[in-house]
Amino acid sequence: AQSVSQHNHHVILSEAASLELGCNYSYGGTVNLFWYVQYPGQHLQLLLKYFSGDPLVKGIKGFEAEFIKSKFSFNLRKPSVQWSDTAEYFCAVNARSGGYNKLIFGAGTRLAVHP
Amino acid sequence: DGGITQSPKYLFRKEGQNVTLSCEQNLNHDAMYWYRQDPGQGLRLIYYSQIVNDFQKGDIAEGYSVSREKKESFPLTVTSAQKNPTAFYLCASSPPGLPYEQYFGPGTRLTVT
């Protein structure tokens, strides 16, 4: 069965610290991987995605993620976080079930950045 | 202004009552989805619909029902059979040919007492 595991449920950082959020997936087919972000009071929105090609993917607001196939991982990184990065982050992987496509989400990581 | 609207933002119901959550989109997307978000569990798929008049059960469909009579609308009914209905419900849609790029609505927080 497909699954996504996010290692940290809560992360607290000071501004300018570096960020890495872990994501491991379990899926036997061709993977498409995503990070979604939910800022306080806002809609869940797509941060970045990997479909194929360069395993280092750049997204909005200075975020990037690296797909490491051998480790089944798709960790999210940012060299220097800002207070405005405070949000909940969800990793997701594609899945195909009964001829239909769907996303499998991880449990999420709440990031709090202190000024 | 294109997007997904969900109403109401907060909903309160007594146990034993059915309640219907609204989801409307004007993005011209064929596919629509309902998720449930609980703390520490991420998003779990309740139902999804690829086209009008077609829908499929997701991972936690028990106690829920949906309809898809119009492309723009995908209402979710939380029935009295749902054992733990208090949660945050998110509706999403995806563009044709891009089922994994999902656009989300603002959500409805349902509290059942």
Side-chain angles (χ1 to χ4, degrees):
Chain A
Q2 304 95 345
S3 65
V4 176
S5 175
Q6 292 183 241
H7 313 300
N8 310 100
H9 293 297
H10 292 93
V11 173
I12 301 173
L13 295 173
S14 297
E15 274 193 320
S18 65
L19 170 72
E20 181 159 4
L21 301 182
C23 172
N24 285 92
Y25 65 90
S26 168
Y27 183 57
T30 301
V31 289
N32 302 126
L33 293 153
F34 305 82
W35 277 97
Y36 279 82
V37 60
Q38 191 171 34
Y39 296 103
Q42 294 189 28
H43 299 201
L44 196 67
Q45 58 185 286
L46 183 64
L47 191 59
L48 50 76
K49 61 188 177 189
Y50 171 79
F51 276 69
S52 63
D54 189 344
L56 185 62
V57 179
K58 296 195 185 296
I60 59 172
K61 303 188 181 186
F63 285 91
E64 65 180 30
E66 186 174 12
F67 169 53
I68 303 179
K69 190 175 180 179
S70 60
K71 295 185 178 180
F72 298 93
S73 71
F74 190 57
N75 292 355
L76 181 70
R77 300 195 294 246
K78 186 171 184 180
S80 176
V81 294
Q82 301 171 310
W83 176 79
S84 58
D85 293 324
T86 294
E88 189 160 18
Y89 294 82
F90 295 91
C91 182
V93 67
N94 67 292
R96 194 160 173 88
S97 174
Y100 293 92
N101 299 299
K102 61 178 183 177
L103 285 174
I104 305 292
F105 284 85
T109 298
R110 282 190 185 272
L111 171 66
V113 180
H114 294 296
Chain B
D1 218 4
I4 299 178
T5 56
Q6 292 184 244
S7 60
K9 190 171 181 179
Y10 298 96
L11 193 53
F12 298 88
R13 280 293 182 269
K14 294 286 187 190
E15 201 173 307
Q17 293 178 333
N18 291 356
V19 59
T20 298
L21 281 58
S22 164
C23 177
E24 303 278 332
Q25 55 99 358
N26 60 4
L27 300 167
N28 201 31
H29 290 172
D30 288 314
M32 296 186 74
Y33 312 81
W34 272 106
Y35 292 91
R36 172 182 169 135
Q37 185 179 4
D38 296 284
Q41 296 195 56
L43 280 72
R44 292 181 291 166
L45 183 65
I46 304 173
Y47 265 98
Y48 56 106
S49 169
Q50 300 291 316
I51 55 171
V52 174
N53 293 323
D54 176 71
F55 47 83
Q56 299 293 319
K57 291 182 180 179
D59 301 315
I60 55 163
E62 186 176 345
Y64 299 98
S65 66
V66 293
S67 63
R68 187 83 189 276
E69 295 175 5
K70 297 187 301 181
K71 188 175 185 176
E72 302 80 18
S73 178
F74 190 40
L76 173 75
T77 297
V78 184
T79 74
S80 55
Q82 167 50 232
K83 292 186 174 59
N84 187 17
T86 294
F88 189 53
Y89 291 88
L90 284 167
C91 179
S93 69
S94 60
L98 295 171
Y100 309 124
E101 287 200 21
Q102 296 185 13
Y103 294 76
F104 286 82
T108 292
R109 187 166 295 282
L110 172 65
T111 302
V112 177
T113 57

